[in-house]
Amino acid sequence: MASSQGKNELIFADWMAALPGSLHSTPLTNLAIPGSHDSFSFYIDEASPVGPEQPETVQNFVSVFGTVAKKLMRKWLATQTMNFTSQLGAGIRYFDLRISTKPRDPDNELYFAHGLFSAKVKEGLEEINAFLTEHPKEVVFLDFNHFYGMQKCHHEKLVQMLKDTYGNKMCPAIFAHEVSLQYLWEKEHQVLVFYHSPVAVEVAFLWPGQMMPAPWANTTDTEKLIQFLQASITERRKKGSFFISQVVLTPKASTVVKGVASGLRETITER
């Protein structure tokens, strides 16, 4: 059983390289590529301050209940249990990334954030790069879709971080339908960076955010979610762009209040 599991892990880690030759020239827009939601949330620092994007009610809740409040928040904020390396080994190739500065941080670092702060961005990018170096035919999509507390200097810092980490591995923005595995392998590109900020138009290797739209059902009802996904897939296929199907249910405030001690997994995910 152990050897069989190891074999499967190997296939998942190199599934793009193992695709049949007939798909090598197929535009990646025509392939279903697995991704993760709030990809960095396997690690959430309960000792960190609350993220700047959180409403005043949450800020007040934490100021009153402190560590207990943050432990409850973590149950609703952590959408992943696997780190970047494990996700990549399991076949994940799209990463949903949300970046923030941290209040009163003496090092002026950039962090992944979802309500509370996660790992340093630099560490996460380097972890992904280590996998790509070992698996030269695998390609990842890095979707930087939310920025919190970031000024122009922070965007410049993040852009430089991407350059330093990935260099020529990054594919410059071109027409989406031109991007195939064969094209990327020939150019030795492994990373497509989508950047939901006007900064994207100034940097050749940043793909504008509108080239990776992510329609959001915003529902706790599974039937409504499926109907929404079917409609959005039909619409996006006509446009010939990359797009995201968010197969996730979203808790309402009342959902959280009712299951505050249970958390996301028991209340929503198992549906």
Side-chain angles (χ1 to χ4, degrees), residues 241-254:
S241 66
F242 293 103
F243 66 91
I244 301 163
S245 291
Q246 296 199 60
V247 193
V248 292
L249 296 173
T250 307
K252 302 174 183 175
S254 58

Side-chain angles (χ1 to χ4, degrees), residues 184-227:
L184 295 172
W185 292 343
E186 289 175 359
K187 301 287 186 180
E188 298 185 346
H189 297 322
Q190 291 182 269
V191 182
L192 278 73
V193 179
F194 295 84
Y195 209 84
H196 296 247
S197 163
V199 173
V201 301
E202 304 170 9
V203 183
F205 62 76
L206 296 181
W207 292 62
Q210 63 264 30
M211 297 185 77
M212 183 64 86
W216 175 37
N218 192 19
T219 181
T220 59
D221 186 293
T222 52
E223 290 187 10
K224 288 181 179 177
L225 173 63
I226 292 169
Q227 291 171 3

Side-chain angles (χ1 to χ4, degrees), residues 19-50:
L19 287 174
S22 59
L23 293 179
H24 293 177
S25 58
T26 299
L28 291 186
T29 54
N30 292 351
L31 298 183
I33 296 172
S36 58
H37 180 68
D38 288 319
S39 307
F40 50 84
S41 62
F42 53 87
Y43 171 71
I44 289 181
D45 185 4
E46 295 174 5
S48 76
V50 177

Side-chain angles (χ1 to χ4, degrees), residues 75-95:
K75 287 188 173 185
W76 287 94
L77 298 173
T79 64
Q80 306 299 329
T81 59
M82 299 166 70
N83 63 21
F84 287 125
T85 302
S86 296
Q87 289 182 50
L88 286 160
I92 295 298
R93 295 294 178 268
Y94 164 88
F95 293 98

